[in-house]
């Protein structure tokens, strides 16, 4: 099969690399246009585009993939099947039906129909899921709602954050897409319709999702911290500035203190929550480096009696 690959971020690179090393030729790569990236804000190709350029694969970077002109350009590559991994643009019917097989497949980072949307890995952590995975599905008009060819499951480690889990899921996506292509090529694929009554949504993460509400219980706060790490990083207000907490653990105990109150014991801070205590392990001040708690406390660290949170005095 001649493959046309659609992808943009680092997450999609392992799948593209696997396809380029596989038995089905990649006849073109479609990625988002070059954007300003990094601290210098210089315009540069997306991670997928960079990989395609290095591999010498025909690369297309349309601002809007759905135009007639772009569709004609992509049709000239004569693809049999399209493979999508985190592309980042809506794919209209003229693109979905462009390959000779008449459809595209997508590697989605959840066990569908759970967590449909742009941020399934972060939402799996927010929900406290202990298992997640990858689903290979057919791309249809409704987001992430197409029939599923196969899924691959994986346990979520108790200390995994969104960054480390994303790296694992990216590799699992490459495995799942490779297996899905083999099933399609050998005409042994079975498409299973999703049950829409079991669907949940995983929209793009916004700044408000990263805010820590100390009236929540400690376990829920730890889930939020893991879901937001390393970016954007869960935060709370401290002396009028956002203090990012990038790793923490929950501890049981009395909750006589007001939520957000810092207590120092054994030379380390713990923070009162709606139920139980939160022990911060890695923190970052605005503009500063990420520090382990010991190093953080050796500087201008948290003090007993300090209140964290919106409206608190610090």
């Amino acid at each position: 099969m001649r493959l046309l690959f659609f992808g943009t971020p680092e997450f999609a690179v392992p799948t593209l690399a696997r396809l380029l090393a596989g038995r089905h030729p990649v006849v073109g790569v479609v990625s988002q246009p070059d954007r300003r990236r990094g601290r210098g804000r210089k315009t540069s190709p997306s991670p997928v585009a960079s990989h395609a350029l290095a591999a010498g694969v025909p690369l297309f970077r349309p601002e809007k993939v759905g135009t007639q002109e772009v569709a004609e350009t992509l049709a000239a590559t004569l693809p049999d099947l399209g493979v999508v991994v985190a592309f980042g643009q809506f794919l209209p019917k003229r693109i979905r039906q462009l390959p000779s097989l008449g459809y595209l497949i997508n590697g989605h980072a959840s066990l569908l129909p759970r967590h449909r949307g742009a941020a399934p890995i972060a939402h799996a952590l927010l929900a406290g899921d202990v298992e997640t995975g990858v689903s290979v599905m057919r791309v249809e008009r409704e987001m992430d709602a197409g029939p599923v060819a196969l899924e691959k499951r994986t346990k979520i480690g108790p200390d995994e954050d969104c960054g480390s889990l994303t790296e694992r899921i990216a590799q699992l996506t490459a495995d799942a897409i490779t297996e899905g292509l083999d099933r399609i090529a050998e005409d042994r694929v079975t498409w299973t319709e999703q049950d829409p009554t079991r669907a949940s949504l995983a929209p793009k993460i916004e700044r408000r999702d990263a805010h820590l509400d100390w009236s929540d219980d400690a376990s829920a706060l730890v889930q939020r911290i893991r879901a937001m790490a390393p970016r954007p990083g869960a935060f709370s207000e401290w002396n009028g500035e956002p203090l990012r907490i990038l790793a923490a653990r929950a501890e049981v105990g009395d909750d006589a203190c007001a939520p957000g109150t810092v207590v120092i014991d054994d030379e380390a801070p713990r923070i009162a929550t709606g139920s139980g205590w939160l022990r911060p392990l890695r923190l970052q001040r605005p503009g500063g480096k990420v520090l382990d708690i010991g190093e953080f406390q050796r500087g201008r660290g948290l003090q007993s009696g300090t209140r964290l949170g919106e409206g608190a005095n610090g």
Side-chain angles (χ1 to χ4, degrees):
M1 294 185 296
R2 294 165 61 85
L3 304 177
L4 187 60
F5 183 79
F6 298 75
T8 297
E10 193 66 40
F11 178 82
V13 171
T15 299
L16 175 58
R18 191 77 64 85
L19 296 183
L20 290 171
R23 63 179 174 129
H24 305 291
V26 179
V27 297
V29 170
V30 189
S31 193
Q32 294 272 33
D34 296 359
R35 307 286 191 205
R36 294 184 183 276
R37 306 174 199 278
R39 289 190 173 182
R41 306 303 295 161
K42 292 183 178 179
T43 301
S44 62
S46 73
V48 162
S50 294
H51 199 88
L53 288 168
V57 182
L59 174 65
F60 309 94
R61 288 171 276 190
E63 197 66 51
K64 289 186 68 175
V65 74
T67 67
Q68 183 64 34
E69 181 182 2
V70 172
E72 291 173 357
T73 300
L74 298 181
T77 65
L78 304 177
D80 295 311
L81 183 68
V83 177
V84 185
V85 177
F87 174 54
Q89 287 189 34
F90 174 71
L91 295 163
K93 185 176 180 180
R94 64 161 58 110
I95 299 297
R96 296 197 302 270
Q97 297 185 350
L98 185 146
S100 64
L101 288 176
Y103 61 91
L104 316 177
I105 61 171
N106 173 240
H108 183 74
S110 80
L111 300 174
L112 291 170
R114 188 163 175 77
H115 302 314
R116 293 177 178 175
I121 298 174
H123 280 276
L125 290 166
L126 267 177
D129 293 356
V130 296
E131 183 184 51
T132 186
V134 175
S135 302
V136 176
M137 62 165 192
R138 207 161 58 207
V139 179
E140 296 193 343
R141 179 176 177 79
E142 187 180 354
M143 184 176 61
D144 302 330
V148 174
L150 66 96
E151 65 180 22
K152 286 190 174 292
R153 294 172 173 266
T154 186
K155 298 291 185 186
I156 299 176
D159 297 322
E160 274 191 300
D161 64 19
C162 195
S164 57
L165 184 56
T166 296
E167 289 180 10
R168 279 207 307 119
I169 295 293
Q171 297 295 334
L172 195 64
T173 301
D175 296 342
I177 288 289
T178 302
E179 185 173 333
L181 289 175
D182 287 343
R183 292 188 189 186
I184 292 168
E186 295 160 12
D187 197 22
R188 54 184 178 84
V189 66
T190 299
W191 300 100
T192 303
E193 295 291 341
Q194 297 183 39
D195 178 357
T197 65
R198 296 175 47 238
S200 63
L201 298 180
K204 180 180 176 182
I205 294 296
E206 306 287 352
R207 178 175 170 78
R208 62 177 177 274
D209 296 313
H211 183 254
L212 295 170
D213 181 347
W214 295 109
S215 66
D216 289 343
D217 67 59
S219 295
L221 289 166
V222 169
Q223 288 169 200
R224 187 166 299 277
I225 289 166
R226 291 169 60 203
M228 300 298 134
R231 289 181 297 275
F235 71 95
S236 182
E237 298 78 10
W238 179 44
N239 291 331
E241 294 187 322
L243 173 67
R244 299 172 77 219
I245 302 178
L246 300 166
R249 68 169 182 265
E251 294 181 353
V252 297
D254 66 77
D255 50 3
C257 296
T261 301
V262 176
V263 172
I264 305 293
D265 61 2
D266 296 329
E267 300 183 354
R270 57 177 177 160
I271 304 167
T273 74
S275 178
W277 293 85
L278 184 129
R279 184 80 72 174
L281 301 175
R282 223 165 38 246
L283 305 97
Q284 184 181 30
R285 297 184 180 91
K289 294 180 179 178
V290 175
L291 300 175
D292 291 336
I293 186 62
E295 193 173 4
F296 184 90
Q297 287 299 101
R298 284 193 287 275
R300 185 174 55 89
L302 295 167
Q303 304 297 317
S304 269
T306 295
R307 282 282 304 279
L308 303 182
E310 204 167 38
N313 294 322

